[in-house]
Amino acid sequence: MLQSTDAIFNDLFGSYAEQGFLPDRLPLARLPNPYYKTWEDIASQLPSLIQSSQIRDRIDNMPVCTTEHLQTEAEWRRACVIMGYFTHAYIWGGEIPKDRLPPSISKPFLEISAHLQLPACATYAGLTLWNFLPSSPGADITDPDNLHVQTSFTGTKDEEWFMVISVAVEAKGIKLLALMRDAFKAVVAIDVELLTALLYRFADGLSDLTMTLKRMYEHNEPDVFYHQLRPFLAGSKNMGHAGLPNGVFYDVGDEVERPENWLQLSGGSNAQSSLIQALDIFLGIKHSATDGKQSGGPSFIQQMRDYMPGPHRRFLEELSVRSNVRPFVLDSSVQSLKDAYNAAVKELKGFRDAHIQMVTRYIVMASRKPNPVEQAKGRINLATASSQTEETGAKTKLAGTGGTDLIPFLKKTRDTVQDAKC
């Protein structure tokens, strides 16, 4: 028996139209099993351990825990958050980066990441989607004022605000996913009037996302973000200039060093947001920009799907197959429908513009100013590597935490959106 159109799209969107890409229940405050007390204790002290340069010693002396006591998906996600923070704190939390992770991190993290179908590094999911709590039960999580983070590198309000803005954007994006589902149905039903109305509502929703994104300026100072937080978000891919020419070795305690345990992974990036990619897919916008290191092959945005939880990644793949709005609009002779589509594209471009302005202020301009934290002088990381090349007059390209040539990549992405107008 063939499925109805409603059933097909309801199955495709499933819970995403109700909860977006946020977890089905609030993230855990801590792992309930006392077996993992050491993990939680270190996680709660992470900012002070990094600041006092004790983090590597604490992790080196940490027991190698198994994952057998992780029972629920919420527990696996909490463990992923902790290990992601430990990994990047260990790599970047000293004078020079460490290119070898001890078994106390490597062994459990590789198992955790395999379970969640993620790479063993700090990802957008671990930094934001699974790392927040509302200020009170039932609080509106579309308002970042109502959100707090669980685990932090710096313990600053600036870092917390950076993370919870993304959570609020994801929460506001839930209604956009519901609109996408209804728009797909309208296309199949050849209901031009309904699709036109849905596209205008979609444009309004995008405008709301942009307004939330712009709230970043309220509690996140550029110098704190650039010099204190951003270095810890960096990955191990394309990070030779910052001290990791070969990536990072994940030591699982084997007597023989296995080449496959040398990994080069991107750092946490908003390009790993399934919501942001879904917006492009819905409007039929295809990005071809690579990381600048090669021609052909998957785009950077496509590569970032590997850093999403498996179910999110598969949803985007299916969404790409079923996306039907742009072809329908292009084939239509109804100008009001094209106008509605163009309004949505315009608002998505506005969102990209706001992001580029933010990157300019928080990264480009901040990179030209000295680090206000004296004790950080002499450290080698993503921030200092960029600053040093600028001081010597050498030609430098500001890299994203994922290793991209940052501003050209963002502008090309934005221009691809602009070019999608009918």
Side-chain angles (χ1 to χ4, degrees):
M1 185 170 141
L2 294 174
Q3 276 186 302
S4 69
T5 301
D6 280 3
I8 289 172
F9 288 119
N10 286 341
D11 285 350
L12 169 61
F13 281 87
S15 62
Y16 295 114
E18 306 297 329
Q19 67 192 48
F21 299 100
L22 296 172
D24 54 358
R25 58 188 63 188
L26 289 174
L28 290 176
R30 60 183 293 121
L31 290 167
N33 195 312
Y35 177 78
Y36 299 110
K37 184 178 184 298
T38 302
W39 286 5
E40 290 289 1
D41 287 347
I42 295 175
S44 67
Q45 304 166 41
L46 199 58
S48 61
L49 290 172
I50 291 173
Q51 199 169 22
S52 61
S53 300
Q54 299 179 65
I55 184 59
R56 288 174 177 166
D57 286 342
R58 285 292 296 274
I59 288 175
D60 284 335
N61 293 319
M62 192 170 72
V64 181
C65 295
T66 71
T67 58
E68 61 183 334
H69 301 293
L70 298 173
Q71 301 297 319
T72 65
E73 283 304 288
E75 290 175 23
W76 283 98
R77 290 167 184 159
R78 175 62 187 155
C80 181
V81 171
I82 293 171
M83 285 296 124
Y85 274 82
F86 284 2
T87 295
H88 287 236
Y90 192 89
I91 293 171
W92 299 109
E95 293 297 309
I96 59 173
K98 276 274 192 180
D99 65 355
R100 300 180 73 91
L101 291 171
S104 58
I105 289 179
S106 301
K107 201 165 178 60
F109 200 13
L110 288 170
E111 294 173 10
I112 292 163
S113 61
H115 177 88
L116 294 169
Q117 301 169 57
L118 283 167
C121 60
T123 62
Y124 179 84
L127 293 164
T128 60
L129 300 181
W130 303 336
N131 188 37
F132 75 93
L133 278 182
S135 54
S136 61
D140 177 10
I141 63 171
T142 66
D143 184 350
D145 283 320
N146 295 332
L147 298 170
H148 300 287
V149 295
Q150 294 286 81
T151 305
S152 170
F153 291 113
T154 66
T156 60
K157 176 65 177 178
D158 306 75
E159 176 180 351
E160 179 173 68
W161 195 247
F162 176 75
M163 301 302 180
V164 299
I165 285 289
S166 290
V167 175
V169 166
E170 295 284 342
K172 286 203 169 185
I174 295 172
K175 67 179 181 182
L176 292 178
L177 289 161
L179 289 171
M180 291 180 200
R181 177 196 59 197
D182 295 342
F184 287 175
K185 293 178 185 178
V187 169
V188 174
I190 318 179
D191 192 333
V192 173
E193 185 176 348
L194 176 58
L195 181 59
T196 301
L198 289 169
L199 284 169
Y200 275 122
R201 288 171 60 192
F202 190 79
D204 290 341
L206 288 172
S207 176
D208 197 21
L209 288 194
T210 303
M211 289 173 62
T212 301
L213 181 65
K214 288 181 176 180
R215 292 194 62 190
M216 183 71 73
Y217 302 113
E218 292 177 17
H219 300 296
N220 184 12
E221 291 298 323
D223 57 347
V224 176
F225 171 79
Y226 184 80
H227 290 290
Q228 294 183 48
L229 171 59
R230 190 169 181 262
F232 289 103
L233 302 180
S236 55
K237 183 179 181 180
N238 299 333
M239 286 294 156
H241 66 294
L244 295 177
N246 304 310
V248 171
F249 182 74
Y250 284 65
D251 183 359
V252 294
D254 291 346
E255 292 183 6
V256 179
E257 184 172 304
R258 301 178 187 278
E260 61 266 28
N261 282 21
W262 277 99
L263 300 177
Q264 294 193 27
L265 300 172
S266 295
S269 167
N270 278 13
Q272 296 161 10
S273 165
S274 301
L275 172 66
I276 302 306
Q277 292 211 20
L279 301 176
D280 285 334
I281 294 169
F282 170 69
L283 292 173
I285 297 167
K286 297 180 180 180
H287 298 281
S288 60
T290 66
D291 58 7
K293 303 282 190 301
Q294 58 185 10
S295 59
S299 67
F300 175 75
I301 288 176
Q302 190 76 30
Q303 293 170 37
M304 287 297 96
R305 291 191 193 173
D306 293 337
Y307 293 80
M308 298 173 186
H312 297 183
R313 180 167 61 249
R314 289 187 288 275
F315 169 73
L316 293 182
E317 290 167 358
E318 186 67 19
L319 193 68
S320 298
V321 172
R322 296 190 180 275
S323 182
N324 57 9
V325 171
R326 181 172 171 79
F328 183 80
V329 172
L330 289 174
D331 288 343
S332 174
S333 60
V334 180
Q335 187 59 44
S336 58
L337 176 61
K338 293 181 186 292
D339 291 343
Y341 176 84
N342 287 343
V345 170
K346 179 182 177 183
E347 291 299 340
L348 183 56
K349 177 184 176 291
F351 183 84
R352 299 285 189 186
D353 282 336
H355 186 220
I356 291 174
Q357 291 162 10
M358 202 162 286
V359 168
T360 301
R361 180 171 175 180
Y362 282 89
I363 299 177
V364 178
M365 294 173 65
S367 71
R368 297 169 183 161
K369 297 180 180 179
N371 188 342
V373 183
E374 289 297 318
Q375 66 187 37
K377 283 188 175 178
R379 287 194 175 189
I380 299 175
N381 57 40
L382 185 60
T384 56
S386 297
S387 299
Q388 285 164 4
T389 51
E390 285 199 357
E391 286 174 9
T392 60
K395 186 178 181 181
T396 182
K397 293 181 179 179
L398 282 169
T401 49
T404 54
D405 189 1
L406 192 57
I407 294 297
F409 165 73
L410 292 176
K411 285 184 176 179
K412 186 168 185 179
T413 303
R414 184 268 318 277
D415 292 344
T416 301
V417 173
Q418 170 70 16
D419 293 343
K421 281 190 175 181
C422 293

